[in-house]
Amino acid sequence: MVSKKEMYFCTDFKDTVICSVMQRKTLVRILSVLLFIVSFAAVAQDHGMDVKEVAPGEKGNKTKKEEIKEFINHHLLDSHDFNLFGSTDEETGETHHYGFPLPVILWDGGLHTFMSSEFDHGKNVVESNGKYYKLYHSKIYRTDAEGTINYDENHHPTNVRPLDLSITKSVVMMLVTGLLLIWLFRSLAKSYAKNGSIPRGIGRFFEPIVLYIRDDIAIANIGEKKYKKYMPFLLTTFFFIWFLNMFGLTPLGVNVTGNIAVTTALAIIVFLITNFTGTKDYWLHIFDPLGSGMPWIGKIFIYIILVPIEILGLFIKPFALLIRLYANMTAGHVVLMSLIGLIFIFKSWIGGPLSFGLSFAISLIELLVALLQAYIFTMLAALYFGFASETHEEHEAHEGEIQHL
């Protein structure tokens, strides 16, 4: 027998899931905007890193530390193929890659499409519509038929880079995660409809998470009157980031949230929602923060400094979002892979187990960090939405509560 309290709890959760999470159109729109921004701006994740690699066919005498550093840098970068694992022939030094290719989509005076397997991991030059392209340090350059790369005095390539709209590994994982979210919550909604709004199976695990986001993040920061229109985005963002972070801890070797283009796209969406849904009082607070408490003749000198700071704050908030998520996830991957690399450097019965133990401990911490970063991003986004949707009356009532305390 289910009590009235329990029935209200489950029914309320069903309303939240069906009315908020299960708005597939909202999820598809958010993912579409995100994938468009990433594909347009990332260009296969140009971090600005100067990754040192040995060109194909070049043997080079690299130390074990240099090989580990190169491997870590390669892991942090996006790629045009989905490489699952690789092996190196000790006799020839040739590396064999195992995975599957992805479509390469370029715009260079016209559309150029082919599969990334034609590059053969940078060994081959690909001809498309009379133009030649070469994959070099995870970036695609236009070259001649021989694949010549020209350099400036700082040894940076000067070849023309076409507009790269390719389906990279990061884009594939975002599509997989998006489809997983749609399938998961559609299944949960159907389960609630069949079982009289009572959670069953995996729904019992996700129910308290959704309710926590609604009660302690959305309502607490936005308010009961306006939180519902932000719930689809907040729930989608939380599970999207969390699932991507968890995929990053698997042997798949993906690092989507460690891609600054992805975190930038998420931050831009938060920035747009915040400012396009902002109330009149929100914009008045930015351009007239002191309100009517002081005459304009007295405020004008203060506003010369204060208003530019408020305007700058509009851009600092999303910037803090993207840097926090990117830096924390990247740092976690670097630390974890560096500790694993120590096993191959020490090669001893003391150093090996010690490095393994530390790697295992960091992996457990990374499980917490994966959830924590999703929570922080969602919490700050809700906080910004709350600032934007707050009216003058709500602001005064909130200040009255603080003074009462």
Side-chain angles (χ1 to χ4, degrees):
M1 190 71 181
V2 183
S3 65
K4 291 183 178 179
K5 183 178 180 182
E6 289 173 334
M7 283 298 295
Y8 172 77
F9 178 79
C10 295
T11 303
D12 203 15
F13 174 68
K14 185 194 79 169
D15 293 339
T16 302
V17 173
I18 295 178
C19 297
S20 297
V21 185
M22 297 314 303
Q23 293 187 7
R24 289 185 296 164
K25 293 183 179 179
T26 303
L27 178 60
V28 171
R29 288 170 185 168
I30 292 172
L31 292 175
S32 299
V33 172
L34 178 62
L35 293 175
F36 174 77
I37 296 175
V38 171
S39 298
F40 192 80
V43 191
Q45 190 190 3
D46 184 3
H47 279 200
M49 292 183 177
D50 186 13
V51 183
K52 295 182 180 179
E53 297 182 15
V54 176
E58 243 181 78
K59 292 186 177 180
N61 296 319
K62 294 183 292 183
T63 65
K64 184 62 68 176
K65 291 182 180 179
E66 291 173 339
E67 290 181 358
I68 293 173
K69 182 180 179 181
E70 179 183 313
F71 182 80
I72 294 174
N73 287 333
H74 178 75
H75 170 76
L76 295 176
L77 293 173
D78 201 357
S79 63
H80 287 81
D81 50 20
F82 207 111
N83 188 34
L84 299 175
F85 60 93
S87 63
T88 303
D89 192 327
E90 295 183 358
E91 296 182 357
T92 63
E94 185 178 357
T95 301
H96 301 280
H97 301 274
Y98 301 91
F100 54 89
L102 298 173
V104 175
I105 306 172
L106 305 175
W107 181 266
D108 186 17
L111 189 64
H112 302 264
T113 58
F114 49 89
M115 297 302 292
S116 61
S117 56
E118 296 189 35
F119 283 125
D120 193 14
H121 303 281
K123 298 177 183 178
N124 298 336
V125 179
V126 178
E127 188 274 333
S128 176
N129 299 332
K131 295 182 179 180
Y132 298 90
Y133 300 98
K134 182 177 178 62
L135 182 65
Y136 183 72
H137 289 188
S138 300
K139 303 177 185 67
I140 298 176
Y141 296 92
R142 189 203 302 167
T143 65
D144 54 21
E146 287 73 31
T148 305
I149 300 292
N150 302 311
Y151 302 93
D152 58 15
E153 60 276 6
N154 296 318
H155 202 67
H156 294 151
T158 59
N159 296 59
V160 175
R161 290 183 59 188
L163 181 61
D164 193 347
L165 303 174
S166 304
I167 305 298
T168 61
K169 181 190 284 190
S170 294
V171 176
V172 169
M173 289 311 303
M174 284 188 287
L175 289 171
V176 170
T177 303
L179 293 174
L180 178 62
L181 288 177
I182 293 174
W183 171 80
L184 175 64
F185 287 103
R186 274 184 59 85
S187 301
L188 290 177
K190 291 179 180 179
S191 175
Y192 269 80
K194 291 180 180 179
N195 300 313
S197 303
I198 299 175
R200 295 288 178 87
I202 198 172
R204 296 180 180 179
F205 173 76
F206 285 103
E207 181 184 53
I209 299 176
V210 174
L211 290 177
Y212 180 81
I213 295 172
R214 186 198 66 187
D215 297 336
D216 294 304
I217 295 181
I219 295 178
N221 291 286
I222 302 172
E224 293 189 17
K225 294 181 180 179
K226 300 182 179 180
Y227 82 93
K228 288 186 178 180
K229 68 179 180 180
Y230 296 104
M231 275 298 291
F233 176 78
L234 293 175
L235 287 169
T236 301
T237 300
F238 176 82
F239 286 106
F240 185 71
I241 295 175
W242 184 26
F243 283 16
L244 285 177
N245 290 345
M246 295 301 292
F247 276 127
L249 298 176
T250 63
L252 292 175
V254 295
N255 182 37
V256 180
T257 47
N259 184 330
I260 197 169
V262 175
T263 59
T264 299
L266 288 169
I268 289 175
I269 295 175
V270 173
F271 173 79
L272 294 176
I273 293 176
T274 301
N275 291 285
F276 278 109
T277 61
T279 62
K280 178 184 68 175
D281 296 296
Y282 168 72
W283 291 105
L284 189 63
H285 176 75
I286 293 174
F287 294 100
D288 187 16
L290 298 180
S292 59
M294 182 184 297
W296 271 100
I297 191 66
K299 294 188 293 185
I300 191 169
F301 297 103
I302 300 176
Y303 281 4
I304 293 175
I305 299 175
L306 192 57
V307 172
I309 292 176
E310 291 286 347
I311 295 174
L312 189 61
L314 293 176
F315 302 95
I316 291 177
K317 291 174 183 176
F319 181 76
L321 277 179
L322 74 93
I323 289 297
R324 180 182 289 105
L325 179 58
Y326 161 71
N328 280 283
M329 299 314 300
T330 299
H333 283 264
V334 171
V335 171
L336 182 58
M337 298 189 71
S338 298
L339 290 173
I340 295 175
L342 291 177
I343 299 175
F344 301 95
I345 293 178
F346 287 136
K347 291 184 178 180
S348 65
W349 65 274
I350 296 179
L354 181 62
S355 298
F356 175 79
L358 289 173
S359 302
F360 182 75
I362 293 296
S363 297
L364 295 179
I365 295 175
E366 282 295 300
L367 291 175
L368 175 62
V369 171
L371 177 61
L372 184 62
Q373 290 304 316
Y375 163 76
I376 292 174
F377 193 100
T378 307
M379 172 66 80
L380 291 177
L383 190 63
Y384 300 157
F385 297 158
F387 291 154
S389 61
E390 189 177 46
T391 62
H392 181 68
E393 292 75 16
E394 292 172 342
H395 179 71
E396 287 185 341
H398 181 65
E399 284 187 344
E401 292 177 359
I402 294 176
Q403 290 175 1
H404 178 71
L405 294 174

